[in-house]
């Protein structure tokens, strides 16, 4: 495949395959455009859900990008109707544990160790863990058809309390996100979560244009500015993180796997909520959680 976006015709392929001298279809594909790399999740039949293989390949790809002196900017996108549907719940059911199996190696994109800017080009559904991938990016372009959802409230029993805070969004919008409401790309553009809103056929060209602008900046200026901007992002303090850990334990543990089971069986979930009914009125507080 090749793309035309003001850069002319360029060859594409899998970055790992190029480095290792192999060619094969992969769950993560890459295309080099000079100093720019397009990283594309490629499980369209599963809306690019994050199974263990994809998590591992992403970790490898981001590590290769980080250490490649010829690459300075990445564009992160997906194949098909989905950017990323998040956790592969069928795999979680097979493992008998929620959340997905983490790769054996560090993923510098997720850990924050990646010093180079990443532009998310959101082509479709960005749900749960897929939304979190968008959240980790530095700049964001979305097709008008894209749909976003913080899914934790539907699966983890503690909603995504921190996502709206990280995005500097007003309290009621952050609450809407945390409670699992879906957002259109247009709505997210209006509240400032997205930089660009474009037609689907302009998604990659628009992201490439943003990447080309970044390459006009002095290298140290680009790297240092991205670093400082990331350091200034809001984060929940230690007390809030302690409270969140306590709140996550405030539930019936069997309910963790219930959304996965109901998804696989195509039925409505049957949540228990708490082991004992009166526990619902005894949520942890900052005082009790941090003593």
């Amino acid at each position: 495949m090749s793309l035309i976006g003001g850069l002319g015709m360029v060859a594409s392929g899998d970055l790992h395959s190029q480095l290792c001298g192999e060619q094969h279809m992969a769950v993560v594909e890459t295309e080099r455009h000079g100093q720019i790399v397009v990283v594309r999740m490629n499980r369209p039949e599963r809306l690019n859900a994050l199974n263990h293989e994809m998590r591992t390949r992403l970790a490898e790809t981001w590590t290769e990008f980080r250490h490649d002196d010829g690459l300075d900017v990445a564009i992160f996108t997906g194949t098909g109707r989905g950017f990323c549907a998040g956790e592969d719940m069928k795999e979680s059911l097979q493992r008998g544990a929620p959340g997905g199996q983490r790769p054996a190696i560090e993923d510098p994109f997720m850990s924050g160790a990646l010093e180079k800017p990443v532009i998310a080009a959101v082509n479709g559904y960005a749900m749960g863990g897929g939304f979190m991938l968008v959240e980790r990016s530095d700049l964001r372009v979305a097709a008008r058809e894209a749909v976003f959802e913080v899914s934790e409230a539907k699966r983890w029993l503690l909603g995504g309390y921190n996502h709206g805070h990280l995005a500097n969004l007003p309290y009621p919008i952050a609450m809407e996100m945390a409670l699992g409401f879906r957002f259109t790309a247009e709505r997210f553009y209006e509240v400032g979560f997205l930089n660009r809103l474009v037609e689907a056929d302009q998604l990659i060209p628009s992201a490439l244009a943003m990447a080309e602008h970044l390459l006009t900046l002095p290298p140290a200026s680009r790297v240092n500015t991205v670093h400082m901007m990331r350091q200034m992002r809001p984060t929940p303090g230690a007390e809030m993180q302690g409270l969140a850990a306590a709140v996550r334990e405030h539930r019936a543990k069997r309910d963790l796997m219930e959304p996965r089971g109901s998804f696989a069986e195509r039925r409505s979930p049957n949540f228990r909520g708490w082991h004992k009914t009166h526990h619902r009125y005894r949520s942890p507080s900052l005082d009790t959680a941090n003593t």
Side-chain angles (χ1 to χ4, degrees):
M1 179 170 52
S2 60
L3 294 172
I4 302 175
L7 299 178
M9 192 81 72
V10 292
S12 67
D14 179 74
L15 180 59
H16 185 263
S17 297
Q18 292 174 5
L19 295 177
C20 297
E22 303 173 355
Q23 291 294 330
H24 60 84
M25 293 298 292
V27 296
V28 177
E29 297 179 337
T30 60
E31 302 164 4
R32 299 183 73 132
H33 300 254
Q35 295 168 262
I36 305 165
V37 64
V38 177
V39 177
R40 179 177 284 105
M41 293 172 284
N42 189 40
R43 294 184 72 206
E45 74 285 356
R46 297 283 291 132
L47 294 179
N48 301 318
L50 293 165
N51 65 353
H52 180 61
E53 181 186 8
M54 181 177 283
R55 292 178 191 272
T56 299
R57 284 294 299 115
L58 285 171
E60 292 170 349
T61 300
W62 292 124
T63 299
E64 291 161 6
F65 168 60
R66 183 187 184 193
H67 295 295
D68 190 327
D69 292 339
L71 293 172
D72 291 295
V73 183
I75 295 170
F76 195 16
T77 192
T79 301
R81 296 186 303 116
F83 174 77
C84 177
E87 175 188 345
D88 188 326
M89 292 196 286
K90 289 185 178 179
E91 185 178 78
S92 295
L93 273 174
Q94 293 171 354
R95 292 180 56 242
Q101 185 178 359
R102 304 300 174 184
I105 65 172
E106 178 189 12
D107 183 334
F109 176 69
M110 295 305 295
S111 70
L114 182 62
E115 303 89 347
K116 301 175 182 180
V118 177
I119 301 170
V122 187
N123 54 295
Y125 292 99
M127 321 289 281
F131 172 88
M132 294 173 69
L133 295 179
V134 178
E135 185 179 55
R136 296 293 303 180
S137 67
D138 301 294
L139 297 166
R140 300 152 193 171
V141 185
R144 295 184 183 277
E145 297 81 7
V147 177
F148 301 80
E149 179 186 285
V150 178
S151 306
E152 288 165 289
K154 298 181 178 180
R155 299 178 185 173
W156 288 96
L157 311 184
L158 172 62
Y161 73 96
N162 58 334
H163 297 292
H165 178 70
L166 291 173
N168 271 315
L169 295 176
Y171 176 82
I173 298 174
M175 180 66 80
E176 189 177 357
M177 289 172 61
L179 292 176
F181 286 86
R182 290 191 176 184
F183 285 75
T184 63
E186 183 175 5
R187 179 92 186 284
F188 260 169
Y189 177 70
E190 290 172 349
V191 301
F193 187 79
L194 300 172
N195 297 97
R196 304 280 190 275
L197 185 63
V198 300
E199 301 300 331
D201 62 353
Q202 292 301 305
L203 182 66
I204 298 302
S206 295
L208 285 169
M210 295 185 81
E212 283 292 315
H213 167 78
L214 296 183
L215 293 176
T216 68
L217 304 175
S221 175
R222 179 179 63 245
V223 171
N224 291 338
T225 298
V226 169
H227 174 74
M228 280 303 301
M229 290 295 294
R230 289 174 179 172
Q231 299 307 306
M232 292 167 61
R233 292 186 70 186
T235 56
E239 285 191 341
M240 284 300 172
Q241 293 182 39
L243 176 58
V247 170
R248 286 192 179 94
E249 297 300 313
H250 186 63
R251 62 191 173 192
K253 298 296 180 62
R254 64 168 291 277
D255 283 356
L256 279 175
M257 294 304 296
E258 178 60 17
R260 285 91 184 158
S262 62
F263 172 80
E265 297 166 13
R266 299 185 178 181
R267 60 172 174 81
S268 298
N270 180 24
F271 294 115
R272 181 173 178 177
W274 291 267
H275 292 296
K276 296 181 180 180
T277 302
H278 67 273
H279 286 176
R280 68 181 299 163
Y281 304 109
R282 297 182 179 179
S283 295
S285 66
L286 279 172
D287 291 335
T288 60
N290 292 284
T291 56

